[in-house]
Amino acid sequence: MSATTPILRRWSGLLLAVALVSGGVVYTVEQRHQDARARLAVTTPAPPSTTPKPSRIAAAVAARRLAVDLILVRRAQAVQTGNEQLFLADIDPTNKKLVAAQKILFANLVEIGFDELGYSQAEERFNPEILKAHGSTTYLVRVLMRYQIPKVDFTPVTTELGYTFIARGGHWLLTSDSELDNDLGPGAHREAWDLGRIEVQRSPRVMVIVEKGDTRRGRAIVHAANEGLAEVTAYWPLKWTGSVLVIALDETDVRDARFADEDIESAASTGSTFSSLPGQETVDGTVAGGYIVINPNQRDQVDEILLSHEITHVVTASLGGYEPLWLAEGSAEYVSWRGIEALSGPGQVAKWEQEVVDTAVPQLTALPSDAGFYQNSADVYGVSWLAVRFLVRRIGLDKVEELYEDMARNGTDQAARDRILQDRTGLTEATLWTSLTTYRPQR
Ligand SMILES: [Zn+2]
């Protein structure tokens, strides 16, 4: 079926690396006063025989920072005002490929229609090969793109980019937007608008992004997402007023979804958005919500059953993301199977439940753990679903939803998870598992 991408855990490694390099260059008001002199330093470099004074270097750095800040402000303004010329004004005109790609990017960004959009410089990055390729003025910088899509994002969220600037004739120009990609977090520069010309289809609570011209499919997915959202509203007690973003492009790598390798078996994946990226303020970052990405090979099979599973992940995403995967996937399966039950009656669900009891449970010796969950060849989705069905029968759906919220917010380690589960259900993961092994579904 599908997968939430356990992004919190995946990110932690990188984070430390990011934390170490950030905080290097800080632009202060004081530095602003040196602008005039600094601009001079950039345009007329000192002769090689003289050793530049440190203050002069600092001034040049400050001037570069200001110049690039202004470029970034212009880019955001250009999108907000629909001014393509302004957007392209700071692109290296000799890089025809980049200019063409930036035209597409501009059109995509305008089509998304951001409530808020801004770019800011994080830290400078150093790469001798890139320096060699572009010359001594090369400035490689990690850039934070902060934006808010109307109704989809409850708060502004952040994604990262890597830009290469060069100085030519006294002006700073963007000459590449992809040279830092491999050193950024998972999914960076793989947002829906980064991958070719898109088209947006909408309904009041759904936004679908497809390839330009793929209108019919876009509308069909809007329809399926509306039905999926209705199922989640009907079968999951959490009140959620947001809008769902579904990305269905002809791309195997979109955001942190990897349908060419690790997520190859998944029909869809829900990945987090961050109001604060991992490493920015905290190691895990702050999850704001989630976007759904459809496997390109499954775009014709998108229905409300698949989407109700993913939308359950979306509506629970902003709770915190610390819930165990068996609870996250089990709840998403619970909702989508309630939808199947409503469509085809209880027979199919009963048959499936019996199959999980008879064949899936005996393959495991405990509740599926987070580690290796998505690589497990056993039916971990089925067992997770059974665990949630069992809990719903034991404490009721509302209490299971409260358990979910508590876990998502506070289940930061195994001890906390055990305590929450024990307090709210009277079970540990071990006794819950034992209950499943002896569980006989009631008919
Ligand atoms: Zn899932």
Side-chain angles (χ1 to χ4, degrees), residues 5-25:
T5 344
I7 195 162
L8 295 176
R9 286 104 198 164
R10 261 193 225 163
W11 270 69
S12 355
L14 297 178
L15 269 226
L16 295 174
V18 171
L20 284 176
V21 286
S22 62
V25 185

Side-chain angles (χ1 to χ4, degrees), residues 297-333:
N297 299 323
Q298 300 289 318
R299 282 178 296 166
D300 292 330
Q301 280 83 52
V302 175
D303 58 17
E304 76 271 24
I305 302 298
L306 169 68
L307 288 178
S308 64
H309 175 113
E310 297 302 331
I311 294 169
T312 307
H313 290 321
V314 173
V315 308
T316 52
S318 65
L319 296 174
Y322 290 109
E323 70 279 16
L325 287 176
W326 66 261
L327 185 58
E329 297 301 348
S331 299
E333 283 296 274

Side-chain angles (χ1 to χ4, degrees), residues 3-5 256 268-272 290-293 309-311 313-314 317:
T4 38
T5 344
D256 60 336
S269 165
T270 299
S272 305
Y291 300 159
I292 298 167
V293 181
H309 175 113
E310 297 302 331
I311 294 169
H313 290 321
V314 173

Side-chain angles (χ1 to χ4, degrees), residues 54-327:
S55 64
R56 196 158 176 191
I57 296 171
V61 165
R64 182 183 67 191
R65 190 157 187 91
L66 178 68
V68 169
D69 273 346
L70 292 175
I71 291 175
L72 297 179
V73 167
R74 279 197 288 273
R75 278 171 81 75
Q77 265 176 357
V79 173
Q80 298 295 44
T81 57
N83 185 341
E84 189 192 56
Q85 228 181 337
L86 184 64
F87 193 79
L88 300 175
D90 301 299
I91 310 297
D92 177 1
T94 66
N95 188 342
K96 302 287 180 210
K97 252 180 140 171
L98 179 66
V99 173
Q102 290 283 311
K103 282 184 183 175
I104 292 172
L105 173 64
F106 173 78
N108 287 346
L109 295 175
V110 170
E111 181 143 1
I112 298 276
F114 296 96
D115 266 347
E116 183 183 320
L117 177 65
Y119 300 88
S120 62
Q121 298 177 67
E123 73 289 346
E124 184 176 7
R125 295 290 182 94
F126 298 94
N127 182 317
E129 279 173 34
I130 295 170
L131 182 68
K132 205 174 151 197
H134 300 293
S136 60
T137 65
T138 305
Y139 176 51
L140 181 64
V141 62
R142 190 169 69 96
V143 168
L144 300 179
M145 174 182 170
R146 193 158 175 81
Y147 67 87
Q148 187 167 11
I149 300 174
K151 295 194 279 187
V152 169
D153 301 311
F154 286 123
T155 60
V157 297
T158 300
T159 186
E160 55 177 357
L161 295 160
Y163 284 169
T164 312
F165 293 94
I166 50 166
R168 192 182 292 148
H171 295 284
W172 285 98
L173 295 169
L174 177 67
T175 195
S176 171
D177 66 349
S178 57
E179 289 172 329
L180 197 57
D181 286 2
N182 292 338
D183 296 324
L184 299 174
H189 201 207
R190 305 290 304 172
E191 296 287 351
W193 46 83
D194 290 320
L195 304 166
R197 189 70 177 96
I198 55 166
E199 177 173 318
V200 178
Q201 291 292 332
R202 301 165 206 265
S203 73
R205 293 189 65 193
V206 171
M207 178 170 174
V208 173
I209 297 178
V210 290
E211 305 284 338
K212 186 78 182 170
D214 202 7
T215 310
R216 184 195 297 234
R217 195 201 314 266
R219 289 191 184 138
I221 295 176
V222 167
H223 182 74
N226 277 322
E227 293 192 329
L229 182 57
E231 286 178 13
V232 176
T233 306
Y235 304 127
W236 194 247
L238 182 70
K239 295 284 164 271
W240 190 75
T241 55
S243 293
V244 178
L245 174 58
V246 183
I247 303 165
L249 297 173
D250 190 14
E251 294 279 348
T252 52
D253 290 7
V254 182
R255 311 194 77 244
D256 60 336
R258 304 264 180 280
F259 295 114
D261 44 63
E262 69 221 51
D263 295 337
I264 197 159
E265 305 282 345
S266 305
S269 165
T270 299
S272 305
T273 55
F274 292 91
S275 52
S276 168
L277 282 174
Q280 226 178 315
E281 283 150 32
T282 61
V283 171
D284 290 342
T286 306
V287 176
Y291 300 159
I292 298 167
V293 181
I294 307 293
N295 186 331
N297 299 323
Q298 300 289 318
R299 282 178 296 166
D300 292 330
Q301 280 83 52
V302 175
D303 58 17
E304 76 271 24
I305 302 298
L306 169 68
L307 288 178
S308 64
H309 175 113
E310 297 302 331
I311 294 169
T312 307
H313 290 321
V314 173
V315 308
T316 52
S318 65
L319 296 174
Y322 290 109
E323 70 279 16
L325 287 176
W326 66 261
L327 185 58

